Amino acid sequence: MPTKKKVVLSFLGTTLDAGISNKRWDRWRPTIAMVQHKAFRVDRLELLHQERFTQLAEQIKTDIEEESPKTKVNLHCIDFRDPWDFEEVYSTMFDVVKEYSFKPDTEEYYMNITTGTHVQQICSFLLTEAHFVPGRLLQLSPPKMEDRGKDAGTFSIIDLDLSRYDVIAQRFALQTQESLTFLKSGINTKNKSFNLLIEHIEKVAIASSAPMLLMGPTGAGKSQLAKRIYQLKREQRRVQGAFVEVNCATLRGDAAMSTLFGHKKGAFTGAMNDREGLLRSADGGVLFLDEIGELGSDEQAMLLRALEEKCFYPVGSDKEVYSDFQLIAGTNRDLRNDVLQQRFRDDLFARINLWSFDLPGLKQRTEDIEPNLEYELERFAEKNNLRARFNAEAKNIYLKYAKSAQAEWNANFRDLNASVTRMATLSVGGRITEEIVREEIIRLKKSWKNPSSPSGNTIELYLTEQQIEDLDLFDRMQLESVINVCLQSKTLAEAGRKLFGVTREKKANTNDTDRLSKFLRRFGLTWNSLHTIK
Ligand SMILES: Nc1ncnc2c1ncn2[C@@H]1O[C@H](COP(=O)(O)OP(=O)(O)OP(=O)(O)O)[C@@H](O)[C@H]1O
Ligand SMILES: [Mg+2]
């Protein structure tokens, strides 16, 4: 394959390249030194200069023709009014490189960052890093003082494709790993789709300031995640302002508008002073609107405008207020459905739905229960100064149930947190025993019980495996239902009335409690044994 031509884009060094007398050859002039390196043969130099330095540019061109006749020099006169003005330099250079016809198949490009003002050097770097200049950076350095005039000095080539640098790539990987762990509150979660979700969230949190929508059932961790996203952004210096949060379900009537957008003194009865409002407080930071689906329609309209224009009118004010915040919205409702039912504005939904993330409930990530259990014990220890631990068998029993289909985890992490708090509090000398776990499982079952659909398998808590094996399915199902009714009843009599209501009505048999007690006794159970925990 023929070697590619080396093409350098460079600014004329108005001080370092200067000189017309013969003495100039004794000095280190970077643009001349560039063509003197044997290991770096420049085929073409695109030399950028201001009009007032045309003469110097031509002088350099002539000197290069003498020093390295094979190097073709093209002069480009570009005029910056102020070569220290970032905006002007960047946009002018941007136009130049946009116009330039790069042929990367046959030529390789170098952006020389040795000459020019610092602003020009920074712009050269930015344009190369963004691949507007499809090449590498070139840095030239002078030789030692005593070698000036004899030696061209050194050169180095800097490739901005950072993935080529192992150490940097590793640091990036480490940084990303730290961010992911941070978003997961340090919990070593195993569920693949949850981990993937967090990876996406991390990328978006770092790269975007567009609204984010966190969806998921109650207690799935939306509020906690919103706060962590903010902390991550702040740590990475993506935001400077505050984290402002409000649950929209608590905003009602006139107060809703004023809480969010502020008001002017005297705007309504009771408005004794100006009020800033949460949107304004979040300027430069993050506004977390939890339960956004609960927002009234007027507030939705105002919010949309505030997001699009970064401006809004406080209640009773004709002066617009500016606020530039990032919105994170939380919802456990199906907002799409709310849009269809016209309960939520479709234009606002479209605006906040750019990055939407669906947090799974605990039941969808049972492999994460164990690491979360450890996390909750840790949190309990921090709060209460008591480090509780499971006995090995106790932990097995708890996890087996926690991961089973019967464990409903309706309130997700809230349930887990409450459950661990109870067990740790009841622990004896910090030991969570089998007995404590069994009692806790009963409590959980009770708390999740839906009277219209008795959840099966309560039976396992009261009978041994052998006893269950010895039961016919018929007896088993019957016992299961009876136990469920007992657990939902305050007294044996109440349970009896529920279970034998029809025969009692017909007065065929009125002693319900006796019937129930006898039934339970057939399986070695009593009312009290079902109600060791109240
Ligand atoms: N990943 C997690 N691991 C363990 N505990 C968590 C996790 N995320 C949240 N929690 C804890 O669970 C509880 C509920 O979390 P959070 O308030 O964030 O839920 P939510 O999804 O916002 O619920 P809601 O919809 O009711 O507002 C909190 O005590 C929180 O600290
Ligand atoms: Mg919440």
Side-chain angles (χ1 to χ4, degrees):
M1 214 169 74
T3 48
K4 292 184 183 179
K5 280 191 177 161
K6 285 188 169 45
V7 179
V8 179
L9 284 74
S10 181
F11 283 102
L12 180 70
T14 51
T15 315
L16 289 175
D17 284 335
I20 42 172
S21 76
N22 267 351
K23 283 214 174 121
R24 68 184 188 277
W25 293 103
D26 301 335
R27 289 194 13 251
W28 182 75
R29 292 181 293 164
T31 306
I32 300 297
M34 183 199 307
V35 300
Q36 291 172 330
H37 288 286
K38 293 205 170 53
F40 188 78
R41 288 281 172 223
V42 181
D43 295 292
R44 195 167 76 242
L45 170 65
E46 308 288 3
L47 192 60
L48 315 178
H49 66 89
Q50 285 177 273
E51 190 170 11
R52 64 196 178 97
F53 292 103
T54 305
Q55 211 182 340
L56 175 61
E58 274 164 2
Q59 166 83 65
I60 290 289
K61 182 175 175 175
T62 314
D63 287 352
I64 290 180
E65 276 160 5
E66 186 177 318
E67 192 63 24
S68 169
K70 286 206 174 128
T71 306
K72 181 171 171 27
V73 181
N74 294 326
L75 298 184
H76 301 269
C77 180
I78 48 172
D79 254 320
F80 303 111
R81 260 166 303 148
D82 178 2
W84 289 94
D85 181 290
F86 181 80
E87 196 179 348
E88 194 196 347
V89 171
Y90 188 87
S91 53
T92 311
M93 285 177 67
F94 182 80
D95 290 343
V96 170
V97 297
K98 272 297 222 197
E99 285 298 303
Y100 192 85
S101 109
F102 291 101
K103 299 185 184 80
D105 288 344
T106 51
E107 302 185 331
E108 54 189 34
Y109 298 96
Y110 298 86
M111 189 87 213
N112 181 18
I113 52 164
T114 320
T115 43
T117 63
H118 288 162
V119 172
Q120 287 167 332
Q121 291 165 358
I122 290 167
C123 292
S124 301
F125 166 87
L126 290 174
L127 288 167
T128 311
E129 199 211 12
H131 296 281
F132 289 119
V133 176
R136 289 175 280 176
L137 301 179
L138 175 67
Q139 170 79 60
L140 305 158
S141 314
K144 289 196 200 111
M145 220 37 184
E146 58 270 27
D147 293 333
R148 301 256 159 116
K150 291 174 255 166
D151 189 319
T154 56
F155 70 92
S156 51
I157 290 163
I158 305 161
D159 193 334
L160 291 179
D161 180 358
L162 296 181
S163 61
R164 287 173 186 241
Y165 297 97
D166 263 6
V167 183
I168 297 176
Q170 275 168 16
R171 285 203 59 148
F172 276 169
L174 201 66
Q175 174 76 55
T176 308
Q177 208 48 50
E178 278 170 10
S179 305
L180 293 178
T181 309
F182 179 77
L183 285 179
K184 294 194 283 186
S185 311
I187 305 168
N188 187 12
T189 53
K190 310 265 190 299
N191 183 274
K192 277 206 186 98
S193 52
F194 178 74
N195 286 347
L196 202 64
L197 181 83
I198 293 291
E199 277 178 36
H200 287 164
I201 291 179
E202 190 256 358
K203 283 201 183 102
V204 174
I206 287 177
S208 167
S209 57
M212 289 168 93
L213 177 61
L214 305 180
M215 300 181 295
T218 182
K222 301 177 296 290
S223 300
Q224 173 156 318
L225 186 60
K227 183 136 214 183
R228 294 236 154 205
I229 291 173
Y230 164 75
Q231 285 165 341
L232 182 67
K233 286 169 106 48
R234 202 180 157 102
E235 209 149 278
Q236 304 240 338
R237 297 188 181 77
R238 311 273 158 174
V239 292
Q240 261 95 48
F243 178 75
V244 177
E245 74 180 303
V246 63
N247 186 328
C248 300
T250 63
L251 303 176
R252 288 273 172 259
D254 283 349
M257 275 287 187
S258 147
T259 308
L260 290 170
F261 305 100
H263 64 234
K264 215 175 142 41
K265 184 178 167 183
F268 49 85
T269 333
M272 314 284 270
N273 294 301
D274 285 355
R275 179 178 185 181
E276 184 174 70
L278 300 179
L279 266 73
R280 173 72 194 151
S281 311
D283 185 25
V286 168
L287 177 68
F288 175 48
L289 291 183
D290 203 359
E291 316 252 1
I292 194 167
E294 302 295 325
L295 213 54
S297 62
D298 291 347
E299 289 80 12
Q300 290 179 29
M302 285 270 278
L303 175 65
L304 178 64
R305 183 161 179 272
L307 284 172
E308 287 180 337
E309 322 229 335
K310 305 193 196 308
C311 282
F312 55 89
Y313 289 101
V315 180
S317 168
D318 51 11
K319 261 225 254 45
E320 276 195 314
V321 165
Y322 172 89
S323 179
D324 186 7
F325 57 87
Q326 176 174 9
L327 178 72
I328 303 183
T331 181
N332 52 28
R333 288 168 56 152
D334 181 352
L335 279 189
R336 262 181 210 95
N337 193 38
D338 284 358
V339 169
L340 288 177
Q341 308 284 327
Q342 302 193 341
R343 276 198 300 263
F344 199 80
R345 289 184 70 110
D346 52 356
D347 44 9
L348 179 60
F349 179 65
R351 183 87 191 140
I352 63 174
N353 189 36
L354 174 65
W355 298 112
S356 58
F357 300 99
D358 212 346
L359 261 70
L362 203 47
K363 219 170 157 54
Q364 275 77 55
R365 32 186 299 222
T366 49
E367 59 273 65
D368 287 343
I369 291 179
E370 186 170 4
N372 272 294
L373 201 57
E374 296 303 326
Y375 170 77
E376 293 295 349
L377 283 172
E378 215 38 63
R379 285 216 300 181
F380 182 86
E382 276 167 26
K383 260 200 234 152
N384 302 282
N385 217 6
L386 171 66
R387 195 160 289 278
R389 289 265 168 273
F390 281 92
N391 283 350
E393 187 47 25
K395 189 171 180 181
N396 285 341
I397 297 173
Y398 188 79
L399 283 176
K400 188 169 166 213
Y401 173 70
K403 293 179 180 185
S404 71
Q406 310 145 47
E408 313 216 357
W409 298 119
N410 291 335
N412 296 295
F413 287 109
R414 259 188 216 112
D415 281 346
L416 186 65
N417 176 276
S419 175
V420 171
T421 303
R422 284 190 295 259
M423 288 188 290
T425 308
L426 292 173
S427 68
V428 187
R431 280 278 132 204
I432 300 174
T433 59
E434 284 171 53
E435 197 193 347
I436 291 176
V437 163
R438 285 187 205 283
E439 290 172 358
E440 176 56 26
I441 293 175
I442 295 171
R443 273 191 221 99
L444 285 172
K445 291 196 169 197
K446 273 189 182 178
S447 74
W448 291 328
K449 195 120 303 147
N450 174 356
S452 60
S453 65
S455 65
N457 296 343
T458 318
I459 205 166
E460 285 168 6
L461 294 168
Y462 303 101
L463 302 189
T464 62
E465 275 178 36
Q466 190 57 53
Q467 279 179 305
I468 294 171
E469 255 173 50
D470 291 344
L471 283 181
D472 277 331
L473 180 63
F474 175 84
D475 287 331
R476 188 187 159 143
M477 292 185 72
Q478 199 174 27
L479 179 59
E480 189 77 58
S481 303
V482 169
I483 292 177
N484 281 327
V485 171
C486 289
L487 292 176
Q488 288 160 40
S489 306
K490 288 198 186 69
T491 60
L492 179 66
E494 185 190 327
R497 277 195 301 277
K498 283 185 200 161
L499 288 163
F500 304 112
V502 177
T503 40
R504 170 183 262 269
E505 192 89 328
K506 292 183 179 160
K507 301 204 170 32
N509 185 336
T510 47
N511 200 345
D512 312 332
T513 49
D514 200 33
R515 252 179 111 180
L516 176 55
S517 298
K518 272 192 193 138
F519 176 82
L520 292 174
R521 260 203 307 278
R522 268 178 53 206
F523 305 95
L525 298 170
T526 64
W527 172 260
N528 282 343
S529 71
L530 292 182
H531 288 79
T532 39
I533 322 291
K534 275 284 179 188

